[in-house]
Amino acid sequence: MNPDICRERENATFNTETLTNMLDGSAEKTRRRREIESLVINDPDFQHDDPNFMSRSERYDAAVKKSSQMIMKLRDYGISDPEEIYFYKRTARRTFHEAFGLHYTMFLPTLYSQCTPEQQKKWLPLAENFKALGTYAQTELGHGTHIRKLETTATYDPSTQEFVLNCPTVSSIKWWPGGLGKTSNHAIVLAQLYTLGKCHGLHAFIVPIRCMKTHQPLPGVTVGDIGPKFGFEEVDNGYLKLENVRIPRENMLMKYAQVEPDGSYLKPPSDKLTYGTMVFIRAMIVGESARALSKSCTIAIRYSAVRHQSELRPGEPEPQILDYQAQQYKLFPLLAAAYAFTFVGQYMSDTYHRITGHINQGDFSQLPELHALAAGLKAFTTWTANAGIEVCRMACGGHGYLCCSGLPDIYVTFTPTCTYEGENTVMMLQTARFLVKCYRQAREGQQLSGTVSYLNEQQRLQPQPVSSRPTVVNINDLASLVEAYKLRAAKLVEVAAKSLQGELQRSISQEDAWNNSSIELVRASDAHCHYVVVELFAAKLSEISDTAVHSVLNTLALLYALHGITLNSGDFLQLSQITQRIKALLVEIRPNAVALVDSFDYNDEMLNSVLGRYDGNVYESMFEWAKRSPLNRTEVRSFIIFNIIQKK
Ligand SMILES: CC(C)(COP(=O)(O)OP(=O)(O)OC[C@H]1O[C@@H](n2cnc3c(N)ncnc32)[C@H](O)[C@@H]1OP(=O)(O)O)[C@@H](O)C(=O)NCCC(=O)NCCSC(=O)CCCCCCCCCCCCCCC(=O)O
Ligand SMILES: Cc1cc2nc3c(=O)[nH]c(=O)nc-3n(C[C@H](O)[C@H](O)[C@H](O)COP(=O)(O)OP(=O)(O)OC[C@H]3O[C@@H](n4cnc5c(N)ncnc54)[C@H](O)[C@@H]3O)c2cc1C
């Protein structure tokens, strides 16, 4: 064990196992999680070479093999709890996505949430036994964001009681769905529903695309892989062109909307229920932001504890780079954000399941807030985590740029979360739409609930414009900082609403007024989400009984809140003493930095990083890894070329 990393662990002021148990929910949950992870770690079937040493085709084949092995092994172990399946799969996947990813994350959830009981009886056994292997085909070449303008059509033919699916133009070709290119034999296709000559908008249809026996594309189906990407190399994101493909009426997902045999249309309680799967994934992505950022912090902070470079004081030995204030200022706010997002991810998942429980009982009243919260937190946390992973990579110097550091793979796998499942700016504008509506309701005296109730509070406190009120903050008191973030959010929502109002008074259209206020609207959503994150971090602390853990997390929460103020100092009254306080917090966190990342409890296999190894033996591992590079399988590779050049 590297002596530096040993010393770091000896210096910690809290018990990492206590914090790990808290993050898992209990000591028993930690034990069970580790037990499941060890099933993968000790399984020779999952000991394979680094995908970075493989071609794209080899990576895809290996991913399909791994997805298949996981299915069989989970059955053999009798593991069926979704959370335990997730622990097993994320250990086997390491940093990468899996070939069957969309089947699990969107195809199955759509069947669960949008099929009638009769449809579930038919499709769930097929899908749960992987006979029907599916994806979610919504995006087209011409549209990903603006889904009301998707062009694929599903036209009902009452004479045969079938839907005829068509991609009428090149821009209507389905483009991007994961697992579509080579893996899936079915797709949930989002298409404009036409019946009895009338268009009823976007609806979901189960479309067979490959023969379940031969896996050949079915008649009228053109399908394939869209080619190499920035990352996701083991996933066959694909294209799908449908030409007069007929499916039975029963293949339209009819839990909420129906087409009768004669073609008559029965509309849903809300036309946004078709969008439900997207809300689910957005909510889940918040937790993914926490995991990607916490892995990156684990790698960068452990490496910074063992890397010695330059000199702090002439003549002294080279210090650990973790002792540089600049290195701490890069990494510790990100470590604080990783903990904040871990708690927000748990809150978002709980809130999603609570509200969808009400929706399944027919109560749709909280759907607008769920959509706004999932959209905003997905954008806010992925933007922060995306940038943070790059900071962690660069904080590791040249070795961070090596694939064996694990950081490039984490980055290229995570960065599309800012785009897919709702492009982040578009999502922030969706949240802003909800905030402006709530602001107007508060002004009219309506009582608000949930995460926007502060808009009432600000109205009651002082009727004068919120923006004119000074922000007075006690920088050592988390509750005071939460109030500062609340006031900032209220201010920026008011600024956005007033910008809209001002635009409308220039008698331009609502749409142009909205576009001309987009900057204020996005900033209002960002401030709202930032307040929600700080508030939830503070609320989590009140649940922690262990004083040592409470103390270290309170320090992190203070750092997260104060650092956020310096990043947005224009919105807060510039508090000169904040920087000094931040410096003091960095010093407080320093002895616990490694113990704090150890508490995330990522085993080396899942971390997949020679820089972030638990034992800190970095250099030896890097040299061993490099020697395995395919280019090193022969001592001489281009001798012939050298020969030709030398002869000339
Ligand atoms: C929302 C849009 C941008 C606009 O939609 P509209 O034009 O229809 O609406 P308006 O803006 O006009 O608003 C009207 C009205 O509707 C409300 N609204 C809008 N959307 C919703 C909604 N979803 N729910 C409820 N309400 C909604 C809105 O608030 C308005 O209300 P008011 O009138 O009252 O104001 C829309 O066009 C849109 O959503 N665009 C984005 C499209 C999108 O998101 N596409 C995604 C395609 S699928 C994809 O990208 C998949 C990627 C997956 C990659 C891999 C997955 C990784 C998984 C990570 C998670 C791990 C999970 C672990 C599980 C495991 O591994 O096992
Ligand atoms: C790795 C990956 C996996 C994917 N998997 C799937 C999948 O499985 N299934 C699927 O259906 N799709 C999938 N997608 C597609 C993805 O959902 C879309 O790319 C995403 O919804 C963004 O849409 P777009 O590409 O049309 O971007 P655009 O909307 O064209 O975005 C381009 C720019 O336009 C801006 N913009 C657009 N509209 C507005 C507006 N109203 N106001 C202000 N600015 C605006 C955006 O902010 C952005 O800056 C995947 C994409 C990726 C990268």
Side-chain angles (χ1 to χ4, degrees), residues 155 157 159-165 208 219 243-248:
T155 307
D157 177 352
S159 66
T160 62
Q161 294 193 21
E162 291 172 318
F163 288 101
V164 184
L165 278 100
E243 292 170 285
N244 293 318
V245 173
R246 287 181 169 266
I247 59 174

Side-chain angles (χ1 to χ4, degrees), residues 56 60 99 177-184 225 229 234-238:
R56 177 147 191 250
Y60 171 70
L180 176 62
K182 313 306 287 182
T183 309
S184 303
D225 179 76
K229 306 174 289 284
E234 50 287 335
V235 178
D236 53 317
N237 298 85

Side-chain angles (χ1 to χ4, degrees), residues 86 93 97 284-293 385 414 417:
Y86 182 66
R93 278 190 290 120
H97 275 290
M284 295 303 115
I285 286 173
V286 177
E288 294 304 295
S289 298
R291 278 181 280 279
L293 189 55
F414 183 81
T417 59

Side-chain angles (χ1 to χ4, degrees), residues 48-68:
H48 54 69
D49 219 344
D50 189 326
N52 290 295
F53 293 153
M54 299 177 193
S55 70
R56 177 147 191 250
S57 301
E58 288 166 338
R59 288 180 74 147
Y60 171 70
D61 294 343
V64 171
K65 183 182 173 191
K66 183 179 284 189
S67 281
S68 313

Side-chain angles (χ1 to χ4, degrees), residues 422-433:
E423 199 279 331
N424 278 3
T425 303
V426 172
M427 291 297 102
M428 281 293 193
L429 289 169
Q430 282 292 304
T431 303
R433 184 173 173 136

Side-chain angles (χ1 to χ4, degrees), residues 89-118:
K89 283 154 50 105
R90 76 172 183 176
T91 308
R93 278 190 290 120
R94 299 182 181 175
T95 310
F96 307 101
H97 275 290
E98 65 164 298
F100 298 177
L102 256 291
H103 179 78
Y104 293 111
T105 55
M106 295 197 81
F107 184 74
L108 274 169
T110 304
L111 298 182
Y112 293 138
S113 60
Q114 301 193 35
C115 278
T116 62
E118 295 73 26

Side-chain angles (χ1 to χ4, degrees), residues 138 145 148 272 275 278 282 421-422 430 433 437:
Q138 175 176 290
T145 287
R148 273 189 286 140
K272 299 306 174 195
Y275 295 5
M278 292 185 277
R282 290 168 192 156
E421 218 57 74
Q430 282 292 304
R433 184 173 173 136
K437 183 186 278 193

